[in-house]
């Protein structure tokens, strides 16, 4: 498979230095202007797709190019930039800080071109506009469901695409332009570059069982945390913020998280297992609130930390959301 695009002459760094020197005398344009004149759309498109796919192989497949062609196009862009934009490794491709900064503008350019092409072809205004939203597993089944239902009532013919992922996936999807808005958590400052966070609520833990569970028979009677150890536990997966809170909960009572537990990020798996067994599910409250309201699950009176994890709206900084995304964000605010 061959790269059909013509091969531009690689930027020569000595030439660029000469341009800088000549610029002082007003003889030539600035280095940034020269670099901008040499960047081609294929460079931007390749870079954005690599950021979205996170591997050169996947990006090559999507672009209908060979992997060496993708690697060469990235190398040309990095030569023009004079810095590394993408770190390549066996585990995939990861943007450098310079790449993260450049992605913000590359996405805007490629999306603007797609919009312009849509205008020329008469497809600028889709019959059914679509908003692309992503959320953490512990958020999707709670607040997001109600927000989507409210948006659906207001815009019955709109398309809504929902993706579930962990917080790094949400941030990566926003930065690469794959999603319009996300509901997740604040991350480290380096990961939040180009991302805005608006607090919706502070997540609390809940300990729930099926209504017929032996511990649920006690109704609202306070239960000591150690009483949970006599039953199989369902807890969030390793490395997640809710898992950290669960471990802290047990540590505060002088015990480690017991073995023989079920670990999962799937709300549907945890819910079903809780309904059909004597398992005790320790989870953020929002994904089980509907089940608690309908009395399909019962919350045990166990002293757990309240308001331990902030959850909010994640969006791209400096990129105004579309009308549909704005209405979804308004629904999230109203319901939080």
């Amino acid at each position: 498979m061959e790269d059909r695009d013509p091969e531009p002459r690689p930027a020569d760094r000595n030439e660029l230095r000469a341009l800088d020197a000549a610029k002082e005398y007003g003889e030539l344009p600035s280095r940034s202007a020269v670099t901008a004149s040499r960047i081609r759309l294929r460079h931007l498109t390749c870079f954005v797709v690599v950021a979205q796919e996170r591997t050169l192989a996947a990006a090559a497949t999507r672009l209908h190019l060979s992997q060496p062609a993708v690697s060469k196009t990235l190398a040309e862009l990095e030569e023009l930039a004079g810095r590394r934009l993408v770190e390549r490794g066996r585990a995939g491709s990861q943007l450098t800080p310079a790449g993260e900064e450049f992605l913000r503008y590359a996405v805007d350019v490629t999306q603007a071109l797609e919009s312009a092409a849509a205008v020329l072809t008469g497809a600028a205004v889709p019959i059914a506009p679509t908003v692309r939203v992503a959320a953490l597993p512990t958020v999707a089944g709670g607040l997001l469901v109600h927000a989507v239902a409210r948006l659906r009532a207001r815009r019955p013919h709109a398309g809504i695409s929902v993706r579930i992922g962990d917080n790094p996936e949400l941030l990566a999807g926003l930065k690469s332009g794959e999603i319009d808005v996300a509901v997740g958590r604040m991350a480290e400052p380096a990961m939040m570059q180009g991302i805005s966070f608006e607090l919706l609520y502070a997540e609390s833990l809940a300990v729930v069982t099926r209504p017929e569970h032996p511990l649920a028979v006690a109704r609202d009677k306070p239960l000591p945390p150690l009483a949970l150890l006599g039953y199989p536990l369902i807890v969030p997966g390793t490395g997640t913020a809710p898992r950290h809170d669960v471990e802290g909960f047990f540590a505060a009572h002088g015990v480690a998280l017991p073995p023989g537990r079920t670990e999962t990020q799937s709300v549907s798996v945890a819910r079903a297992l809780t309904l059909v067994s004597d398992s005790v599910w320790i989870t953020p409250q929002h994904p089980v609130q509907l089940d608690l309201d309908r009395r399909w699950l019962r919350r045990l009176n166990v002293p757990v930390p309240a308001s331990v994890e902030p959850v909010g709206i994640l969006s791209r900084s400096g990129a105004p959301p579309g009308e549909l995304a704005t209405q979804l964000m308004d629904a999230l605010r109203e319901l939080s």
Side-chain angles (χ1 to χ4, degrees), residues 60-115:
T61 299
R62 179 170 158 187
L63 292 167
H64 304 290
L65 297 173
S66 65
Q67 188 169 331
V70 170
S71 183
K72 181 179 180 181
T73 303
L74 278 181
E76 291 173 1
L77 180 61
E78 290 176 329
E79 181 70 17
L80 289 168
R83 64 186 68 187
R84 195 78 162 175
L85 300 176
V86 180
E87 294 291 350
R88 292 82 150 170
R90 293 183 177 180
S93 302
Q94 184 174 358
L95 299 187
T96 65
E100 292 271 3
E101 179 68 16
F102 181 65
L103 180 64
R104 298 169 57 186
Y105 303 98
V107 167
D108 289 341
V109 172
T110 54
Q111 289 183 343
L113 182 64
E114 291 173 0
S115 298

